[in-house]
């Protein structure tokens, strides 16, 4: 459980000044930072206000409990008194804001909670409303820990308080726990790590899978889960040295991480040929950054890098699926000539011809204190999209003319759906993309690698025995001549 939280004073103090100089009575927003349960510490890098919704309404507002719930004030209470004020929060909108902001964050940096600018009385009268808001944020921007932070900036009286919250199904008053909060310098002590993960996998899609894999996006989800399983067991080299102990990182340089992927013993499986309807090929590269505080071990940076790679792939899939939603009429019949944006949501059994789908590329821009934020751009989009998203979602202006803007993903991730034999043996004369028929001598199953290896071993042994036999015969012949 996080017991102490340190906030970056160079970012949080300007937020307090902006709020105190404004006339607004309430504001809700996201807390961006890191939570490290291993060391019971939390770090707050920035507070991001939730923008108005599509109707132009604020995500948080104050109302009077007495005026709303009673036609007449109770005895002993003054009508409209400060003791009756409470908060209304548009939880769905705050959750959607958290979902979109979380896509722009890199390894280890997360949406770790919400902040409230409201009076002390209104905050106390709205505990359940605030807890439900944090729960909505946790569901929209999941992390590998359950805890979230609630930072209350009170203007009556002026003070900062921080609470730890575990968004369990049953929210009670005991779900909120006070934790120590102080201002300090966090960003200037962060350690930076980077890696590029290259992948190229082929996954046969069978008839048995179609009960769970109905569309190409379902197949892509499965492909990403295979990559996640591969990354889970990967070892790592940091600046060329194998990480074997949980030691802190002391150097201030940018550290290179190289992932050593394990051999996947169960990567290949026997498939009945008649059950295979196609092959999914998923390949490309993912660029990733992670940032580590001085108290955290290097192993945490490696874990953050792995999580960031998977989150990046899932974010790209979500983007192309969002674009495909509602794009194809139910009466669409010509499935061989589908536009690219409709491919993800198409029934996978209707994709008769090979289909290619490009993933958005990831680009980075400088953010706070040497950290980066990212965005995902389609081929037709420019860096102006990143600039607009930063202004809208993060309330930050980024300099687009700086050399620090990074576009390191030289190879855009892509998927290809084609016939099984075309993918497995594209150069074989019997197999071509225009025909789905199989040669007469290939009517059973694709053999397991173990069986192929067994045949190969038998051939090698037979050749070795023949060689030994030839040597023995030659020796006997030579002995007789003597």
């Amino acid at each position: 459980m996080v017991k102490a939280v340190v906030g970056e004073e160079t970012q949080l103090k300007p937020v307090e000044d902006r709020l105190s100089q404004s006339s607004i009575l309430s504001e809700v927003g996201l807390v961006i930072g890191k939570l490290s349960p291993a060391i019971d510490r939390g770090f707050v890098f920035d507070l991001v206000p939730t923008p108005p919704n599509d109707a132009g309404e604020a995500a948080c507002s104050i109302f009077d409990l007495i005026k709303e719930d009673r036609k007449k004030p109770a005895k002993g209470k003054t009508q409209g008194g400060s003791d009756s004020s409470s908060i209304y929060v548009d939880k769905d909108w705050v959750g959607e804001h958290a979902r979109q902001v979380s896509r722009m964050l890199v390894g280890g940096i997360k949406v770790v909670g919400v902040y409230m600018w409201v009076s002390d009385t209104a905050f106390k009268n709205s505990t359940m409303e605030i807890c439900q808001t944090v729960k909505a944020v946790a569901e929209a921007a999941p992390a590998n820990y359950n805890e979230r932070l609630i930072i209350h900036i009170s203007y009556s009286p002026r003070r900062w308080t921080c609470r730890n919250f575990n968004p369990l199904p049953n929210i009670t008053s005991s779900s909120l726990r006070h934790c120590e909060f102080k201002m300090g310098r966090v960003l200037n002590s962060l350690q930076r790590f980077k890696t590029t993960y290259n992948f190229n996998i082929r996954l046969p899609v069978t008839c048995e899978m179609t009960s769970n894999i109905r569309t190409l996006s379902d197949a892509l989800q499965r492909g990403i889960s295979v990559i996640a399983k591969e990354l889970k067991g990967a070892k790592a080299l940091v600046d060329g040295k194998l990480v074997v102990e949980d030691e802190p990182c002391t150097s201030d340089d940018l550290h290179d991480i190289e992932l050593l992927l394990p051999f996947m013993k169960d990567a290949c499986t026997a498939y009945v040929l008649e059950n295979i309807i196609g092959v999914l090929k998923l390949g490309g590269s993912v660029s990733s950054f992670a940032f580590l505080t001085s108290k955290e071990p290097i192993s945490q940076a490696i874990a953050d890098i792995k999580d960031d790679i998977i989150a990046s792939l899932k974010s790209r899939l979500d983007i192309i699926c969002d674009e495909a939603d509602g794009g194809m009429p139910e009466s669409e019949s010509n499935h061989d000539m589908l536009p690219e944006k409709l491919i993800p949501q198409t029934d996978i059994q209707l994709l008769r011809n090979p289909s290619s789908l490009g993933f958005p590329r990831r680009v980075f821009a400088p953010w706070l204190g040497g950290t980066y934020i990212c965005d995902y751009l389609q081929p037709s989009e420019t860096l102006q999209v990143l600039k607009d998203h930063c202004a809208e979602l993060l309330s930050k202006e980024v300099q687009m003319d700086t050399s620090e803007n990074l576009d390191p993903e030289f190879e855009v991730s892509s998927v290809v759906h084609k016939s099984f034999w075309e993918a497995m043996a594209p150069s074989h004369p019997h197999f071509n993309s225009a025909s789905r028929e199989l040669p007469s001598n290939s009517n059973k199953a694709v053999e397991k690698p173990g069986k192929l290896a067994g045949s190969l071993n038998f051939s090698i042994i037979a050749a070795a025995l023949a060689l030994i036999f030839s040597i023995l015969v030659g020796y006997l012949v030579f002995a007789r001549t003597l």
Side-chain angles (χ1 to χ4, degrees):
M1 182 181 70
V2 174
K3 298 178 181 179
V5 176
V6 180
E8 175 59 47
E9 61 182 3
T10 61
Q11 298 298 321
L12 270 56
K13 283 294 186 182
V15 172
E16 181 181 8
D17 294 339
R18 173 183 64 83
L19 291 170
S20 61
Q21 294 170 11
S22 69
S23 59
I24 59 176
L25 299 178
S26 64
E27 182 177 281
V28 63
L30 307 177
V31 180
I32 311 298
K34 282 178 67 77
L35 295 186
S36 300
I39 58 175
D40 297 332
R41 300 287 295 274
F43 305 92
V44 176
F45 301 156
D46 199 11
L47 304 182
V48 178
T50 298
N53 59 21
D54 295 335
E57 300 172 346
C60 179
S61 58
I62 296 286
F63 68 95
D64 193 285
L65 284 174
I66 293 179
K67 290 183 177 180
E68 292 290 334
D69 297 339
R70 301 178 183 178
K71 294 182 178 180
K72 296 182 180 180
K75 294 181 179 180
K77 297 275 188 177
T78 59
Q79 187 172 358
S82 60
D83 289 344
S84 64
S85 61
S86 185
I87 308 170
Y88 167 75
V89 180
D90 189 344
K91 296 175 281 294
D92 292 338
W93 185 250
V94 177
E96 176 61 21
H97 182 218
R99 185 181 74 89
Q100 296 192 38
V101 168
S102 65
R103 286 181 180 174
M104 305 184 70
L105 304 178
V106 299
I109 302 178
K110 302 286 186 181
V111 177
V112 298
V114 301
Y115 76 88
M116 301 292 306
W117 164 257
V118 72
S119 69
D120 204 28
T121 300
F123 186 91
K124 292 178 181 178
N125 290 340
S126 312
T127 301
M128 291 301 296
E129 184 78 359
I130 296 171
C131 290
Q132 289 171 359
T133 302
V134 180
K135 186 177 180 180
V137 168
E139 292 173 350
N144 52 4
Y145 43 77
N146 294 326
E147 298 172 273
R148 296 296 189 275
L149 300 180
I150 301 175
I151 293 181
H152 176 208
I153 312 171
S154 173
Y155 53 77
S156 178
R158 176 73 62 81
R159 63 185 175 190
W160 290 66
T161 57
C162 184
R163 293 168 175 82
N164 189 345
F165 174 65
N166 192 343
L168 299 172
N170 297 322
I171 301 174
T172 62
S173 57
S174 61
S175 301
L176 286 175
R177 298 182 180 181
H178 282 270
C179 55
E180 180 186 354
F181 180 82
K182 64 179 181 180
M183 299 282 190
R185 295 296 181 94
V186 180
L187 293 172
N188 59 3
S189 63
L190 292 179
Q191 307 294 326
R192 300 183 299 163
F193 298 81
K194 70 171 184 178
T195 192
T196 298
Y197 170 71
N198 300 308
F199 58 97
N200 189 358
I201 63 173
R202 281 189 173 101
L203 295 174
V205 179
T206 66
C207 296
E208 290 84 357
M209 296 178 185
T210 54
S211 58
N212 297 322
I213 301 177
R214 308 301 293 267
T215 65
L216 186 58
S217 63
D218 295 334
L220 284 170
Q221 288 281 10
R222 179 172 177 268
I224 294 174
S225 68
V226 171
I227 294 175
K229 185 176 181 181
E230 183 182 59
L231 286 174
K232 184 178 180 180
K235 302 298 182 181
L237 296 176
V238 178
D239 298 330
K241 298 179 181 179
L242 183 65
V243 177
V244 294
E245 297 181 0
D246 285 349
E247 297 180 353
C249 184
T250 57
S251 173
D252 293 333
D253 298 330
L254 179 61
H255 305 281
D256 288 309
I257 291 182
E258 182 180 355
L259 296 174
L260 307 177
L261 303 177
F263 177 73
M264 302 292 287
K265 295 181 179 180
D266 56 347
C268 297
T269 312
Y271 294 99
V272 177
L273 203 57
E274 289 79 1
N275 292 339
I276 296 171
I277 62 174
V279 166
L280 174 75
K281 179 184 176 183
L282 182 61
S285 65
V286 176
S287 296
S288 176
F289 285 88
F291 296 89
L292 200 68
T293 62
S294 58
K295 301 293 184 180
E296 295 176 293
I298 297 180
S299 59
Q300 184 60 52
I302 298 171
D304 290 342
I305 282 281
K306 293 178 180 180
D307 290 341
D308 182 62
I309 291 171
I310 300 303
S312 176
L313 289 175
K314 290 182 177 179
S315 294
R316 302 176 210 226
L317 179 58
D318 290 342
I319 290 171
I320 63 175
C321 288
D322 288 345
E323 291 189 354
D325 283 343
M328 181 174 60
E330 296 182 1
S331 60
E332 182 69 51
S333 59
N334 186 6
H335 299 282
D336 292 337
M337 300 295 294
L338 287 172
E340 180 178 293
K341 71 175 184 178
L342 302 184
I343 292 175
Q345 304 295 48
T346 305
D347 190 326
I348 198 168
Q349 298 194 62
L350 299 177
L351 291 174
R352 299 300 182 184
N353 291 336
S355 303
S356 178
L357 179 65
F359 271 18
R361 78 185 192 278
R362 191 181 200 184
V363 295
F364 299 88
W367 188 39
L368 306 174
T371 63
Y372 295 105
I373 53 174
C374 72
D375 204 354
Y376 299 94
L377 304 183
Q378 301 287 12
S380 61
E381 295 177 330
T382 66
L383 290 175
Q384 183 63 36
V385 175
L386 170 59
K387 183 177 181 179
D388 294 341
H389 284 173
C390 289
E392 178 184 1
L393 299 175
L394 298 176
S395 298
K396 297 288 182 182
E397 294 290 338
V398 295
Q399 299 297 324
M400 307 309 297
D401 56 348
T402 177
S403 59
E404 290 189 78
N405 291 319
L406 301 176
D407 188 3
E409 293 187 352
F410 53 88
E411 183 179 357
V412 180
S413 308
S414 63
V415 294
V416 177
H417 177 314
K418 59 173 70 175
S419 67
F420 178 78
W421 288 108
E422 184 182 17
M424 298 302 293
S427 61
H428 197 287
H430 289 294
F431 309 136
N432 60 75
S433 60
S435 174
R436 296 177 59 89
E437 296 182 359
L438 300 174
S440 58
N441 60 347
S442 302
N443 54 5
K444 291 187 179 179
V446 180
E447 292 183 333
K448 288 185 179 180
K451 292 183 179 181
L452 296 175
S455 300
L456 182 60
N457 292 337
F458 177 80
S459 300
I460 294 174
I461 294 171
L465 290 175
L467 178 61
I468 294 171
F469 179 78
S470 300
I471 294 173
L472 289 176
V473 171
Y475 177 80
L476 291 176
V477 173
F478 179 77
R480 286 183 179 182
T481 60
L482 295 178

